[in-house]
Coordinates of all heavy atoms in Angstrom, one line a residue:
M22 N 24.2 -22.0 9.8 CA 22.9 -22.0 9.3 C 23.0 -22.2 7.6 O 23.9 -21.7 7.2 CB 22.3 -20.6 9.4 CG 21.4 -20.4 10.5 SD 20.5 -18.9 10.4 CE 19.5 -19.0 11.8
D23 N 22.0 -22.9 7.2 CA 21.9 -23.2 5.8 C 21.5 -22.0 5.1 O 20.8 -21.2 5.6 CB 20.9 -24.3 5.7 CG 20.8 -24.8 4.2 OD1 21.9 -25.0 3.7 OD2 19.7 -25.1 3.8
I24 N 22.0 -21.9 3.8 CA 21.7 -20.7 3.0 C 20.3 -20.4 2.7 O 19.7 -19.5 2.6 CB 22.7 -20.6 1.8 CG1 22.5 -19.3 1.0 CG2 22.3 -21.8 0.8 CD1 23.2 -18.2 1.7
F25 N 19.5 -21.6 2.6 CA 18.2 -21.7 2.2 C 17.4 -21.2 3.5 O 16.4 -20.4 3.2 CB 17.7 -23.0 1.7 CG 18.3 -23.4 0.5 CD1 19.3 -24.5 0.4 CD2 18.2 -22.7 -0.6 CE1 19.9 -24.8 -0.7 CE2 18.8 -23.1 -1.8 CZ 19.6 -24.1 -1.9
V26 N 17.8 -21.5 4.6 CA 17.1 -21.0 5.8 C 17.3 -19.4 6.0 O 16.3 -18.8 6.2 CB 17.7 -21.6 7.0 CG1 17.1 -21.0 8.3 CG2 17.4 -23.1 7.1
I27 N 18.4 -19.0 5.6 CA 18.7 -17.4 5.6 C 17.8 -16.7 4.6 O 17.2 -15.7 4.8 CB 20.1 -17.1 5.4 CG1 20.9 -17.7 6.7 CG2 20.3 -15.6 5.3 CD1 22.4 -17.7 6.5
E28 N 17.8 -17.5 3.4 CA 17.1 -16.9 2.3 C 15.6 -16.9 2.6 O 14.8 -15.8 2.3 CB 17.4 -17.7 1.0 CG 16.6 -17.2 -0.1 CD 16.8 -18.0 -1.4 OE1 17.8 -18.8 -1.5 OE2 15.9 -18.0 -2.3
G29 N 15.1 -17.8 3.3 CA 13.7 -17.8 3.6 C 13.3 -16.8 4.8 O 12.2 -16.2 4.7
M30 N 14.3 -16.7 5.6 CA 14.0 -15.7 6.7 C 14.0 -14.1 6.0 O 13.3 -13.4 6.5 CB 15.1 -15.8 7.8 CG 15.0 -17.0 8.6 SD 16.3 -17.4 9.8 CE 16.7 -15.7 10.5
V31 N 14.9 -14.0 5.1 CA 15.1 -12.7 4.5 C 13.7 -12.5 3.8 O 13.1 -11.4 3.7 CB 16.3 -12.5 3.6 CG1 16.2 -11.3 2.7 CG2 17.5 -12.6 4.5
G32 N 13.3 -13.5 3.0 CA 12.1 -13.3 2.1 C 10.9 -13.1 3.1 O 10.0 -12.3 2.7
L33 N 10.8 -13.8 4.2 CA 9.7 -13.5 5.1 C 9.7 -12.0 5.7 O 8.7 -11.4 5.8 CB 9.8 -14.5 6.2 CG 8.6 -14.6 7.3 CD1 7.3 -14.8 6.6 CD2 8.9 -15.5 8.3
L34 N 10.9 -11.5 6.0 CA 11.2 -10.2 6.6 C 10.7 -9.3 5.5 O 10.0 -8.2 5.8 CB 12.5 -10.0 6.9 CG 12.8 -8.8 7.9 CD1 12.1 -8.9 9.2 CD2 14.3 -8.7 8.0
V35 N 11.0 -9.4 4.3 CA 10.6 -8.5 3.1 C 9.2 -8.5 3.0 O 8.5 -7.4 2.9 CB 11.4 -9.0 1.8 CG1 10.9 -8.2 0.6 CG2 12.8 -8.6 2.0
R36 N 8.6 -9.7 3.0 CA 7.0 -9.7 2.8 C 6.3 -9.0 4.0 O 5.4 -8.4 3.9 CB 6.6 -11.2 2.8 CG 7.0 -11.8 1.4 CD 6.3 -13.3 1.2 NE 4.9 -13.2 1.0 CZ 4.2 -12.9 -0.1 NH1 4.9 -12.7 -1.2 NH2 2.9 -12.9 -0.1
F37 N 6.9 -9.2 5.3 CA 6.3 -8.5 6.3 C 6.5 -7.1 6.2 O 5.5 -6.2 6.5 CB 7.0 -9.0 7.6 CG 6.4 -8.3 8.9 CD1 5.3 -8.6 9.3 CD2 7.1 -7.4 9.6 CE1 4.8 -8.0 10.5 CE2 6.8 -6.7 10.6 CZ 5.5 -7.0 11.2
A38 N 7.6 -6.6 5.7 CA 7.9 -5.1 5.6 C 6.9 -4.5 4.6 O 6.3 -3.6 4.7 CB 9.3 -4.8 5.2
L39 N 6.6 -5.3 3.5 CA 5.8 -4.9 2.4 C 4.2 -4.8 3.0 O 3.5 -4.0 2.6 CB 5.9 -5.7 1.2 CG 7.2 -5.6 0.4 CD1 7.2 -6.6 -0.7 CD2 7.3 -4.2 -0.2
L40 N 4.0 -5.8 3.7 CA 2.7 -5.8 4.4 C 2.5 -4.6 5.3 O 1.3 -3.9 5.2 CB 2.4 -7.1 5.2 CG 1.0 -7.3 5.9 CD1 -0.1 -7.2 4.9 CD2 1.0 -8.4 6.7
V41 N 3.4 -4.2 6.0 CA 3.4 -3.1 6.9 C 3.2 -1.8 6.0 O 2.4 -0.8 6.3 CB 4.6 -2.9 7.8 CG1 4.7 -1.5 8.5 CG2 4.6 -4.0 8.8
V42 N 3.9 -1.6 5.0 CA 3.7 -0.4 4.1 C 2.3 -0.5 3.5 O 1.6 0.6 3.3 CB 4.9 -0.6 2.9 CG1 4.5 0.4 1.8 CG2 6.2 -0.3 3.4
A43 N 1.7 -1.6 3.0 CA 0.4 -1.7 2.5 C -0.6 -1.3 3.5 O -1.6 -0.5 3.2 CB 0.2 -3.0 1.9
I44 N -0.4 -1.6 4.7 CA -1.4 -1.4 5.8 C -1.3 0.2 6.0 O -2.4 0.9 6.2 CB -1.1 -2.1 7.1 CG1 -1.5 -3.6 6.9 CG2 -1.8 -1.6 8.2 CD1 -1.1 -4.5 7.9
F45 N -0.1 0.7 6.0 CA 0.1 2.1 6.3 C -0.7 2.9 5.2 O -1.3 3.8 5.5 CB 1.6 2.4 6.4 CG 1.8 3.8 6.5 CD1 1.6 4.6 7.8 CD2 2.4 4.7 5.4 CE1 1.8 5.9 7.9 CE2 2.7 6.0 5.6 CZ 2.4 6.6 6.8
A46 N -0.4 2.6 3.9 CA -1.0 3.2 2.8 C -2.6 3.2 2.9 O -3.2 4.1 2.6 CB -0.5 2.7 1.6
F47 N -3.0 2.1 3.3 CA -4.5 1.8 3.3 C -5.1 2.7 4.5 O -6.1 3.3 4.3 CB -4.8 0.3 3.6 CG -6.2 -0.1 3.9 CD1 -7.2 0.2 2.8 CD2 -6.6 -0.4 5.0 CE1 -8.5 -0.1 2.9 CE2 -8.0 -0.7 5.2 CZ -8.9 -0.6 4.3
V48 N -4.4 2.7 5.6 CA -5.0 3.6 6.7 C -4.9 5.0 6.3 O -5.8 5.8 6.5 CB -4.1 3.3 8.0 CG1 -4.5 4.3 9.1 CG2 -4.4 1.9 8.5
I49 N -3.9 5.5 5.7 CA -3.7 6.9 5.2 C -4.8 7.2 4.2 O -5.4 8.3 4.2 CB -2.4 7.1 4.6 CG1 -1.3 7.1 5.6 CG2 -2.3 8.6 3.9 CD1 -1.5 8.0 6.8
S50 N -5.1 6.2 3.4 CA -6.2 6.5 2.4 C -7.6 6.6 2.9 O -8.5 7.4 2.5 CB -6.3 5.4 1.3 OG -6.9 4.2 1.9
L51 N -7.8 6.0 4.1 CA -9.0 6.1 4.8 C -9.2 7.5 5.6 O -10.2 7.9 5.8 CB -9.2 5.0 5.8 CG -9.4 3.7 5.3 CD1 -9.4 2.5 6.3 CD2 -10.6 3.5 4.5
I52 N -8.0 8.1 6.0 CA -8.0 9.2 6.8 C -8.6 10.5 6.1 O -9.3 11.3 6.6 CB -6.6 9.5 7.5 CG1 -6.3 8.4 8.4 CG2 -6.5 10.9 8.0 CD1 -4.9 8.4 8.9
H53 N -8.1 10.6 4.9 CA -8.4 11.7 4.1 C -9.9 11.7 3.5 O -10.2 10.6 2.9 CB -7.4 12.0 2.9 CG -6.0 12.3 3.4 ND1 -5.7 13.5 3.6 CD2 -5.0 11.5 3.5 CE1 -4.4 13.6 4.1 NE2 -4.0 12.3 4.1
P54 N -10.6 12.8 3.5 CA -12.0 12.8 2.9 C -12.0 12.7 1.4 O -11.0 13.1 0.8 CB -12.5 14.1 3.4 CG -11.5 15.0 3.9 CD -10.2 14.1 4.2
A55 N -13.0 12.3 0.9 CA -13.1 12.1 -0.6 C -13.0 13.4 -1.3 O -12.4 13.4 -2.4 CB -14.4 11.5 -0.9
E56 N -13.4 14.5 -0.7 CA -13.2 15.9 -1.3 C -11.8 16.3 -1.7 O -11.5 16.9 -2.6 CB -13.9 16.9 -0.6 CG -15.4 16.7 -0.5 CD -15.8 15.8 0.7 OE1 -14.9 15.4 1.6 OE2 -16.9 15.2 0.4
E57 N -10.9 15.8 -0.8 CA -9.4 16.2 -1.0 C -8.9 15.4 -2.1 O -8.0 16.0 -2.8 CB -8.7 15.8 0.3 CG -9.0 16.8 1.4 CD -8.2 16.5 2.6 OE1 -7.2 15.7 2.6 OE2 -8.4 17.1 3.6
Y58 N -9.3 14.2 -2.4 CA -8.9 13.5 -3.5 C -9.1 14.2 -4.8 O -8.4 14.4 -5.8 CB -9.4 12.1 -3.7 CG -8.9 11.1 -2.6 CD1 -9.3 11.1 -1.3 CD2 -7.7 10.4 -2.9 CE1 -8.8 10.1 -0.4 CE2 -7.2 9.4 -2.0 CZ -7.7 9.4 -0.7 OH -7.2 8.5 0.2
A59 N -10.5 14.7 -4.9 CA -10.8 15.5 -6.1 C -10.1 16.8 -6.2 O -9.9 17.2 -7.4 CB -12.4 15.6 -6.0
A60 N -10.1 17.5 -5.1 CA -9.4 18.7 -5.1 C -7.8 18.6 -5.5 O -7.3 19.5 -6.2 CB -9.4 19.4 -3.7
A61 N -7.2 17.5 -5.3 CA -5.8 17.2 -5.6 C -5.8 16.7 -7.0 O -4.6 16.6 -7.5 CB -5.2 16.2 -4.6
G62 N -6.8 16.5 -7.7 CA -6.8 15.9 -9.0 C -6.3 14.5 -9.1 O -5.7 14.0 -10.0
K63 N -6.7 13.7 -8.0 CA -6.2 12.3 -8.0 C -7.3 11.4 -8.3 O -8.5 11.8 -8.2 CB -5.4 12.0 -6.7 CG -4.2 12.9 -6.4 CD -3.2 12.7 -7.4 CE -2.0 13.6 -7.2 NZ -1.0 13.5 -8.3
W64 N -7.1 10.1 -8.4 CA -8.0 9.1 -8.4 C -9.0 9.2 -7.2 O -8.5 9.6 -6.1 CB -7.4 7.8 -8.6 CG -8.2 6.6 -9.1 CD1 -9.3 6.7 -10.0 CD2 -8.1 5.2 -8.8 NE1 -9.8 5.5 -10.2 CE2 -9.1 4.6 -9.4 CE3 -7.1 4.5 -8.1 CZ2 -9.2 3.2 -9.4 CZ3 -7.3 3.2 -8.0 CH2 -8.3 2.5 -8.7
T65 N -10.1 8.6 -7.2 CA -11.1 8.7 -6.1 C -10.7 8.1 -4.9 O -9.9 7.0 -5.0 CB -12.5 8.2 -6.5 OG1 -12.4 6.7 -6.7 CG2 -13.1 8.8 -7.8
K66 N -11.2 8.6 -3.7 CA -11.0 7.8 -2.6 C -11.3 6.4 -2.5 O -10.7 5.5 -2.1 CB -11.6 8.6 -1.4 CG -11.4 7.8 0.0 CD -12.2 8.6 1.2 CE -11.8 7.9 2.5 NZ -12.2 8.6 3.6
Q67 N -12.6 6.2 -3.1 CA -13.1 4.8 -3.1 C -12.2 3.9 -3.9 O -11.9 2.7 -3.5 CB -14.5 4.8 -3.7 CG -15.2 3.5 -3.9 CD -16.5 3.5 -4.5 OE1 -16.9 4.5 -5.0 NE2 -17.3 2.4 -4.4
G68 N -11.7 4.3 -5.1 CA -10.9 3.6 -5.9 C -9.5 3.2 -5.2 O -9.0 2.1 -5.2
W69 N -8.8 4.2 -4.5 CA -7.6 4.0 -3.8 C -7.9 3.1 -2.6 O -7.1 2.1 -2.4 CB -6.9 5.2 -3.3 CG -6.1 5.9 -4.4 CD1 -6.4 7.1 -5.1 CD2 -5.0 5.5 -4.9 NE1 -5.5 7.3 -6.0 CE2 -4.5 6.4 -5.9 CE3 -4.2 4.2 -4.8 CZ2 -3.4 6.2 -6.6 CZ3 -3.1 4.1 -5.5 CH2 -2.7 5.1 -6.4
T70 N -8.9 3.2 -1.9 CA -9.2 2.4 -0.8 C -9.4 1.0 -1.1 O -8.9 0.0 -0.4 CB -10.4 2.9 0.0 OG1 -10.1 4.3 0.4 CG2 -10.8 2.2 1.3
I71 N -10.2 0.7 -2.2 CA -10.4 -0.6 -2.7 C -9.1 -1.3 -3.1 O -8.8 -2.4 -2.7 CB -11.4 -0.7 -3.8 CG1 -12.8 -0.3 -3.3 CG2 -11.4 -1.9 -4.5 CD1 -13.9 0.0 -4.3
V72 N -8.3 -0.6 -3.9 CA -7.0 -1.2 -4.3 C -6.0 -1.5 -3.2 O -5.5 -2.7 -3.1 CB -6.4 -0.4 -5.4 CG1 -5.0 -0.7 -5.8 CG2 -7.2 -0.4 -6.7
L73 N -6.0 -0.6 -2.4 CA -5.0 -0.7 -1.2 C -5.5 -1.8 -0.2 O -4.8 -2.5 0.4 CB -4.7 0.6 -0.6 CG -4.0 1.6 -1.4 CD1 -4.0 3.0 -0.6 CD2 -2.7 1.2 -1.7
G74 N -6.9 -1.7 -0.1 CA -7.5 -2.9 0.8 C -7.2 -4.2 0.3 O -6.9 -5.0 1.0
L75 N -7.6 -4.3 -1.0 CA -7.3 -5.7 -1.6 C -5.9 -6.1 -1.5 O -5.4 -7.2 -1.3 CB -7.7 -5.7 -3.1 CG -9.2 -5.7 -3.2 CD1 -9.6 -5.5 -4.8 CD2 -9.9 -6.9 -2.7
G76 N -5.0 -5.1 -1.7 CA -3.5 -5.4 -1.5 C -3.2 -5.9 -0.2 O -2.4 -6.8 -0.1
V77 N -3.7 -5.1 0.9 CA -3.4 -5.6 2.3 C -4.1 -7.0 2.5 O -3.4 -8.1 3.0 CB -4.1 -4.7 3.3 CG1 -4.1 -5.3 4.6 CG2 -3.4 -3.3 3.3
L78 N -5.2 -7.3 2.0 CA -5.9 -8.6 2.2 C -5.1 -9.8 1.6 O -4.9 -10.7 2.2 CB -7.4 -8.5 1.6 CG -8.2 -9.8 1.6 CD1 -8.4 -10.2 3.2 CD2 -9.4 -9.7 0.9
F79 N -4.8 -9.5 0.3 CA -4.2 -10.6 -0.5 C -2.7 -10.8 0.0 O -2.1 -11.9 -0.1 CB -4.3 -10.4 -2.0 CG -5.6 -10.4 -2.6 CD1 -6.0 -9.5 -3.4 CD2 -6.4 -11.5 -2.1 CE1 -7.4 -9.7 -3.9 CE2 -7.7 -11.5 -2.6 CZ -8.2 -10.7 -3.5
S80 N -2.0 -9.7 0.4 CA -0.6 -9.9 1.0 C -0.7 -10.6 2.2 O 0.1 -11.4 2.6 CB -0.1 -8.5 1.2 OG 0.3 -7.9 0.0
F81 N -1.8 -10.3 3.0 CA -1.9 -11.1 4.4 C -2.1 -12.6 4.2 O -1.6 -13.4 4.9 CB -2.9 -10.4 5.2 CG -3.1 -10.9 6.5 CD1 -2.1 -10.6 7.5 CD2 -4.1 -11.8 6.9 CE1 -2.2 -11.2 8.8 CE2 -4.3 -12.2 8.2 CZ -3.3 -12.0 9.2
I82 N -3.0 -12.8 3.2 CA -3.5 -14.3 3.0 C -2.3 -15.0 2.3 O -2.0 -16.1 2.5 CB -4.8 -14.2 2.2 CG1 -5.9 -13.7 3.1 CG2 -5.1 -15.7 1.7 CD1 -7.2 -13.6 2.4
G83 N -1.7 -14.2 1.2 CA -0.7 -14.7 0.4 C -1.1 -15.8 -0.6 O -0.4 -16.9 -0.7
V84 N -2.2 -15.7 -1.2 CA -2.8 -16.6 -2.2 C -2.4 -16.3 -3.5 O -2.7 -17.1 -4.4 CB -4.2 -16.8 -2.0 CG1 -4.5 -17.5 -0.5 CG2 -5.1 -15.5 -2.1
L85 N -2.0 -15.0 -3.8 CA -1.8 -14.6 -5.2 C -0.4 -14.9 -5.7 O 0.5 -14.9 -4.9 CB -2.0 -13.1 -5.3 CG -3.5 -12.8 -5.1 CD1 -3.6 -11.3 -5.2 CD2 -4.4 -13.4 -6.1
P86 N -0.3 -15.0 -7.0 CA 1.2 -15.1 -7.5 C 1.9 -13.9 -7.2 O 1.3 -12.8 -7.1 CB 0.9 -15.3 -9.1 CG -0.5 -15.6 -9.2 CD -1.2 -15.2 -8.1
F87 N 3.2 -14.0 -7.2 CA 4.1 -13.0 -6.9 C 3.9 -11.7 -7.7 O 3.8 -10.6 -7.1 CB 5.6 -13.3 -6.9 CG 6.5 -12.2 -6.6 CD1 6.7 -11.8 -5.3 CD2 7.2 -11.6 -7.7 CE1 7.6 -10.7 -5.0 CE2 8.1 -10.6 -7.3 CZ 8.3 -10.1 -6.1
F88 N 3.7 -11.8 -9.0 CA 3.6 -10.7 -9.9 C 2.3 -9.8 -9.5 O 2.2 -8.6 -9.7 CB 3.7 -11.0 -11.3 CG 2.4 -11.8 -11.9 CD1 1.4 -11.1 -12.4 CD2 2.5 -13.1 -11.8 CE1 0.3 -12.0 -12.8 CE2 1.5 -13.9 -12.3 CZ 0.3 -13.4 -12.8
V89 N 1.2 -10.5 -9.1 CA 0.1 -9.8 -8.8 C 0.1 -9.1 -7.5 O -0.2 -7.9 -7.2 CB -1.2 -10.7 -8.7 CG1 -2.4 -10.0 -8.1 CG2 -1.5 -11.3 -10.0
D90 N 0.8 -9.7 -6.4 CA 1.1 -9.1 -5.1 C 2.1 -8.0 -5.4 O 2.0 -6.8 -4.8 CB 1.9 -10.2 -4.3 CG 1.9 -9.9 -2.8 OD1 0.9 -9.1 -2.4 OD2 2.7 -10.3 -2.1
L91 N 3.0 -8.1 -6.4 CA 3.8 -6.9 -6.5 C 3.2 -5.7 -7.2 O 3.4 -4.6 -6.9 CB 4.9 -7.3 -7.7 CG 6.1 -6.4 -8.2 CD1 6.9 -5.9 -6.9 CD2 6.8 -6.9 -9.2
A92 N 2.1 -6.0 -8.1 CA 1.3 -4.9 -8.6 C 0.6 -4.2 -7.5 O 0.5 -2.9 -7.5 CB 0.2 -5.4 -9.6
F93 N 0.1 -4.8 -6.5 CA -0.6 -4.2 -5.4 C 0.4 -3.4 -4.5 O 0.2 -2.3 -4.0 CB -1.3 -5.2 -4.4 CG -2.7 -5.6 -5.0 CD1 -2.8 -7.0 -5.2 CD2 -3.6 -4.8 -5.2 CE1 -4.0 -7.4 -5.7 CE2 -4.9 -5.1 -5.7 CZ -5.1 -6.5 -5.9
M94 N 1.7 -4.0 -4.4 CA 2.6 -3.2 -3.6 C 3.1 -1.9 -4.4 O 3.4 -0.9 -3.8 CB 3.9 -4.1 -3.4 CG 3.6 -5.2 -2.4 SD 3.1 -4.5 -0.8 CE 1.4 -5.1 -0.9
I95 N 3.2 -2.1 -5.7 CA 3.5 -0.8 -6.6 C 2.4 0.2 -6.3 O 2.7 1.4 -6.3 CB 3.7 -1.2 -8.0 CG1 5.0 -1.9 -8.1 CG2 3.7 0.0 -8.8 CD1 5.2 -2.7 -9.5
A96 N 1.2 -0.2 -6.2 CA 0.1 0.7 -6.1 C 0.3 1.4 -4.8 O 0.0 2.7 -4.6 CB -1.3 0.0 -6.1
A97 N 0.6 0.7 -3.7 CA 0.8 1.3 -2.4 C 2.0 2.2 -2.4 O 1.9 3.3 -1.8 CB 1.2 0.2 -1.3
F98 N 3.1 2.0 -3.2 CA 4.2 2.9 -3.2 C 3.8 4.2 -4.0 O 4.2 5.2 -3.7 CB 5.5 2.3 -3.7 CG 6.1 1.3 -2.8 CD1 6.3 0.0 -3.0 CD2 6.6 1.8 -1.6 CE1 6.9 -0.8 -2.1 CE2 7.3 1.1 -0.7 CZ 7.4 -0.3 -0.9
V99 N 3.1 4.0 -5.0 CA 2.5 5.0 -5.8 C 1.7 6.0 -5.0 O 1.8 7.2 -5.0 CB 1.9 4.6 -7.1 CG1 1.0 5.8 -7.7 CG2 2.9 4.0 -8.1
F100 N 0.9 5.5 -4.2 CA 0.0 6.2 -3.3 C 0.8 7.0 -2.4 O 0.6 8.2 -2.1 CB -1.0 5.3 -2.5 CG -1.9 6.0 -1.6 CD1 -3.0 6.6 -2.0 CD2 -1.6 6.2 -0.2 CE1 -3.9 7.4 -1.2 CE2 -2.4 6.9 0.6 CZ -3.6 7.5 0.2
L101 N 1.8 6.3 -1.8 CA 2.6 7.1 -0.7 C 3.5 8.1 -1.3 O 3.8 9.0 -0.8 CB 3.5 6.0 0.1 CG 2.5 5.2 1.0 CD1 3.6 4.1 1.6 CD2 1.8 5.9 2.1
A102 N 3.9 7.9 -2.7 CA 4.9 8.8 -3.2 C 4.2 9.9 -4.0 O 4.8 11.1 -4.1 CB 5.9 8.1 -4.2
D103 N 3.0 9.7 -4.5 CA 2.3 10.7 -5.3 C 1.0 11.3 -4.7 O 0.9 12.5 -4.5 CB 2.0 10.1 -6.6 CG 1.3 11.1 -7.5 OD1 1.7 12.2 -7.7 OD2 0.3 10.7 -8.2
V104 N 0.2 10.4 -4.1 CA -1.1 10.9 -3.7 C -1.1 11.5 -2.3 O -1.6 12.6 -2.0 CB -2.2 9.7 -3.8 CG1 -3.5 10.1 -3.3 CG2 -2.2 9.1 -5.2
R105 N -0.3 10.8 -1.5 CA -0.2 11.3 -0.1 C 0.4 12.7 0.1 O -0.2 13.5 0.7 CB 0.6 10.3 0.8 CG 0.6 10.8 2.2 CD 1.3 9.7 3.2 NE 1.5 10.2 4.4 CZ 2.4 10.1 5.2 NH1 3.6 9.6 4.6 NH2 2.5 10.6 6.4
P106 N 1.4 12.9 -0.7 CA 2.0 14.3 -0.6 C 1.0 15.4 -1.1 O 1.0 16.5 -0.6 CB 3.3 14.4 -1.4 CG 3.7 12.9 -1.4 CD 2.4 12.0 -1.4
A107 N 0.3 15.0 -2.2 CA -0.8 16.0 -2.8 C -1.9 16.3 -1.8 O -2.4 17.4 -1.5 CB -1.3 15.4 -4.1
L108 N -2.3 15.2 -1.1 CA -3.4 15.3 -0.1 C -2.9 16.1 1.2 O -3.5 16.9 1.7 CB -3.9 14.0 0.3 CG -4.6 13.1 -0.7 CD1 -4.9 11.7 -0.2 CD2 -5.9 13.8 -1.3
R109 N -1.6 15.9 1.5 CA -1.1 16.6 2.6 C -0.9 18.0 2.3 O -1.0 18.9 3.2 CB 0.2 16.0 3.0 CG 0.0 14.7 3.7 CD 1.3 14.0 4.1 NE 2.1 14.8 5.3 CZ 3.2 14.6 5.5 NH1 4.1 13.7 4.9 NH2 3.8 15.3 6.6
G110 N -0.5 18.4 1.1 CA -0.4 19.8 0.6 C -1.6 20.6 0.6 O -1.6 21.8 0.9
L111 N -2.7 19.8 0.5 CA -4.1 20.6 0.7 C -4.3 21.0 2.0 O -5.1 21.9 2.2 CB -5.1 19.6 0.1 CG -5.1 19.4 -1.4 CD1 -6.3 18.4 -1.7 CD2 -5.4 20.7 -2.1
R112 N -3.9 20.2 3.1 CA -4.1 20.5 4.4 C -3.3 21.7 5.0 O -3.6 22.3 5.8 CB -3.9 19.2 5.3 CG -4.9 18.2 5.1 CD -5.1 17.4 6.2 NE -6.2 16.4 5.9 CZ -6.7 15.7 6.8 NH1 -6.3 15.6 8.0 NH2 -7.6 14.8 6.5
R113 N -2.3 22.0 4.3 CA -1.4 23.1 4.6 C -1.9 24.4 4.3 O -1.5 25.5 4.8 CB 0.0 22.9 4.1 CG 0.8 21.7 4.7 CD 2.2 21.7 4.4 NE 2.8 20.4 4.6 CZ 3.5 19.6 3.7 NH1 3.7 20.3 2.7 NH2 3.9 18.5 4.1
R114 N -2.7 24.5 3.3 CA -3.2 25.6 2.7 C -4.3 26.3 3.6 O -4.9 25.9 4.3 CB -3.8 25.5 1.3 CG -2.8 25.1 0.3 CD -3.3 24.8 -1.0 NE -2.3 24.4 -1.9 CZ -2.6 23.9 -3.0 NH1 -3.7 24.0 -3.5 NH2 -1.6 23.5 -3.8

């Protein structure tokens, strides 16, 4: 196999994995009620849902430059690493 074919396949696999992460973060943002975001002291549900939804949309379409797509992916990882644990912590109480 040509090295460029392998590189393209790996790139496609990475983009697919990032799309799955973005979809997962978006769905999780929809599950929690808006009151939990306020109680956890995080940004609003509407704000997170819009940012994560746009990230999913633009990642799926693939029309944005890489650095903008990267910004949406960072937002998804921030949501999963910071906001989601805070929201889950509220449900345990």
Side-chain angles (χ1 to χ4, degrees):
M22 259 190 182
D23 189 37
I24 189 71
F25 296 113
V26 173
I27 294 171
E28 182 181 338
M30 289 172 45
V31 169
L33 185 62
L34 193 63
V35 168
R36 288 190 69 86
F37 179 73
L39 290 175
L40 178 62
V41 169
V42 168
I44 291 170
F45 177 71
F47 177 66
V48 169
I49 295 299
S50 74
L51 292 174
I52 291 173
H53 292 279
E56 295 81 24
E57 287 184 7
Y58 287 84
K63 301 298 178 185
W64 197 30
T65 65
K66 176 181 181 166
Q67 182 181 13
W69 277 113
T70 304
I71 289 170
V72 168
L73 296 172
L75 287 174
V77 168
L78 177 68
F79 291 139
S80 291
F81 186 73
I82 295 172
V84 295
L85 293 179
F87 176 73
F88 68 91
V89 178
D90 199 26
L91 181 64
F93 282 119
M94 290 303 109
I95 290 171
F98 284 118
V99 166
F100 179 84
L101 292 173
D103 182 43
V104 179
R105 182 177 181 228
L108 296 175
R109 289 177 67 195
L111 292 173
R112 292 206 173 191
R113 289 189 199 133
R114 294 181 186 168

